[in-house]
Structures are given as structure tokens and as C-alpha cells.
Amino acid sequence: MIPQETIRTAGLTRAFGGKEALSDLTLSLSAGEVCGVLGPNGAGKTTLLKLIAGLLRPTAGRASVCGFDSVRQQDDVLRHLGLLIETPVFYDHLCAQENLALHLAYMGTAGVVDDALARVGLSDVGEQPVGQFSLGMRQRLALARATVHRPAVLLLDEPLNGLDPIAVRDMRTLFRSFAADGMSVMLSSHILGEVEQTADRVIVLSQGKLAAAAQIDALRAAHPHDLEDHLIKLMNGGSSCRN
Ligand SMILES: Nc1ncnc2c1ncn2[C@@H]1O[C@H](COP(=O)(O)OP(=O)(O)O)[C@@H](O)[C@H]1O
Ligand SMILES: [Mg+2]
């Protein structure tokens, strides 16, 4: 069976003030796949995710989600996407259930709040004000909000920043469980270990350009002792063969 393609970009390019933040990026992602976007600060990770979501317009090239063009069909794109791009904002005086119900009403989409909360392990605290939540709980609630409409694709921009090790582990398990359900997950990070332990495949960005794209297993096999050095070199613009 050919895996269903969910994200496709072709020659995707975005410049700010004449300087390219993302250059000529062509990639595709399949249902059920977790793709890590690895790169140092300023490499173009957020720009890539925003272009896929249609939150930025490309200077050249295009992106699509489930066959819908990210610029011309942004409403369709957003229906198929779960987004975690900026620090999530909630109504702190309202409970988790109310926050998700308001989100669904605002978006005009269908979804089951209790299921979404159960999925991220927040059923027991669904009636507590979100202002009482820890950072890890807020991030899990953000994930519940991003997935309450059961999107085909989840875009996560540095979703593990600032979390303690237990919360990082819990989030990673959740990303994998969404992928096991057939969702495509694209997550960015500047931390190698986060990508290596979460993703099936990694793309490395360096100054807006694709420095490498490879399956994590293939990378590990090719660099059993120096994977970290190898990826750091790529992130800093060093050359490498592609797997
Ligand atoms: N709105 C903007 N205006 C001007 N420059 C921007 C804007 N957004 C991003 N950039 C620039 O584009 C480059 C890539 O940024 P970004 O995609 O945020 O990188 P990353 O997420 O990998 O840290 C950086 O040089 C950044 O300064
Ligand atoms: Mg960023």
C-alpha cells in the first residue's frame, strides 16, 4: 500500500527584506510519519511551519496539506491541521473543558472535548481552572486543543521548550500515539536529542537551506558513534551525503 501523502512542498521559498529565510525546499510527508525539523535558531524552522499552515505567503514555490494549497485554500488547510506554533494562550479563569469548548465554537468545527482531554491524560483535571496548571499540563492542553478536531496533520514548533524531563517524555509518547493513529506529525527543534528520540525522519535546515534529509535509523546506522557531531556539522552548514 502506498502511504497517503499529507504534506507536500515544492521549491518553497520565503524572503524577508531580500534575505531568504527558507530557500527552495521540496519535501513530502506521509500519514503516520513523524518528521523532525532540526536547525539552530534562525535556520527557518518556524518560517517553514507557517508557510505550510498558510500563515505566511511564499515568495516562490508552494505548499499543500492533504492536497489543498496553503495560500489559495487556507480554510481547507486549517481544517486538516493541528497547530502548536506559539506559546499557547488560554483563558486562565476558565477550566480546561470550557477552553476547548470555546475553541471549537470559535473555529466552527466539530470535536469531542472529553475525548481530546482523555487523549492527553487531562480528564481528571478537566474542570480545574487552567490558571492552576503546570507548564507541562498547559502544553498537554495545547495538544488537546490542536487535535480536538482530529486533524490529519500536526505541526509543532519547538513543542518541548521549557518542559521538565517527565513532561518531555509524556509529550513524546503523545506525539508517537497520534502518529500511530495515522496523523502526520512535523515537529521542529534545535535540540538533536528531541528529534532523534521522537521522529522517524529528520530534515536538517541550515540558514534556510536543506542540509540533509534522512531516516533516523539510517543515520544511526551510518553514524553509530558520531551522530551528534555529524548533525551539528550539518546544522552549521557542513557538507554531508544524503541518505
Ligand atoms: N517576520 C519576519 N521579518 C523579518 N525577518 C524574519 C521574520 N521572521 C523570520 N525572519 C528571519 O528569518 C530567518 C528564519 O527565522 P525562523 O524561521 O524564525 O527561524 P527558526 O524558527 O529556525 O529559529 C531568521 O533570520 C529570522 O530573523
Ligand atoms: Mg522558530
Side-chain angles (χ1 to χ4, degrees):
M1 195 177 85
I2 299 168
Q4 190 197 340
E5 184 179 276
T6 50
I7 296 178
R8 166 164 289 269
T9 76
L12 193 62
T13 301
R14 170 70 200 215
F16 293 104
K19 186 173 176 290
E20 282 183 3
L22 193 73
S23 306
D24 195 22
L25 187 72
T26 296
L27 63 83
S28 67
L29 199 65
S30 302
E33 198 177 15
V34 181
C35 177
V37 181
L38 184 65
N41 289 335
K45 303 181 297 295
T46 300
T47 301
L48 168 61
L49 297 190
K50 285 187 173 173
L51 286 165
I52 291 170
L55 301 174
L56 272 177
R57 294 176 82 91
T59 314
R62 53 200 174 75
S64 63
V65 174
C66 298
F68 296 105
D69 185 89
S70 297
V71 173
R72 284 181 288 111
Q73 298 168 295
Q74 201 209 358
D75 287 351
D76 294 305
V77 164
L78 290 178
R79 270 194 303 120
H80 290 85
L81 274 186
L83 281 178
L84 201 50
I85 286 197
E86 260 126 37
T87 307
V89 176
F90 299 105
Y91 295 100
D92 279 352
H93 61 292
L94 298 181
C95 72
Q97 289 171 350
E98 289 164 333
N99 268 278
L100 291 198
L102 274 175
H103 171 75
L104 282 175
Y106 177 74
M107 296 291 286
T109 47
V112 181
V113 167
D114 288 345
D115 289 354
L117 289 175
R119 191 65 205 262
V120 300
L122 291 177
S123 295
D124 291 350
V125 291
E127 293 177 20
Q128 279 181 25
V130 173
Q132 296 175 1
F133 279 19
S134 68
L135 188 62
M137 290 162 76
R138 290 178 82 89
Q139 199 67 340
R140 276 193 277 157
L141 181 58
L143 200 53
R145 184 166 66 184
T147 54
V148 65
H149 59 301
R150 310 294 300 161
V153 175
L154 195 49
L155 297 182
L156 309 166
D157 195 17
E158 311 239 12
L160 304 175
N161 275 5
L163 297 183
D164 65 49
I166 295 170
V168 166
R169 187 196 58 195
D170 291 348
M171 289 292 278
R172 191 181 287 138
T173 304
L174 285 171
F175 302 158
R176 296 281 353 162
S177 79
F178 284 117
D181 277 0
M183 237 180 244
S184 292
V185 181
M186 185 179 256
L187 84 154
S188 77
S189 178
H190 60 279
I191 299 170
L192 169 63
E194 286 182 357
V195 167
E196 192 203 344
Q197 291 175 51
T198 315
D200 303 308
R201 184 150 67 96
V202 62
I203 67 165
V204 182
L205 292 181
S206 174
Q207 297 180 21
K209 296 188 177 61
L210 184 68
Q215 297 290 327
I216 297 278
D217 288 349
L219 273 180
R220 276 205 204 99
H223 298 273
H225 308 301
D226 66 340
L227 182 58
E228 186 166 13
D229 287 349
H230 174 66
L231 287 172
I232 287 172
K233 205 186 294 172
L234 289 172
M235 283 201 270
N236 289 322
S239 65
S240 170
C241 58
R242 281 174 66 174
N243 288 292

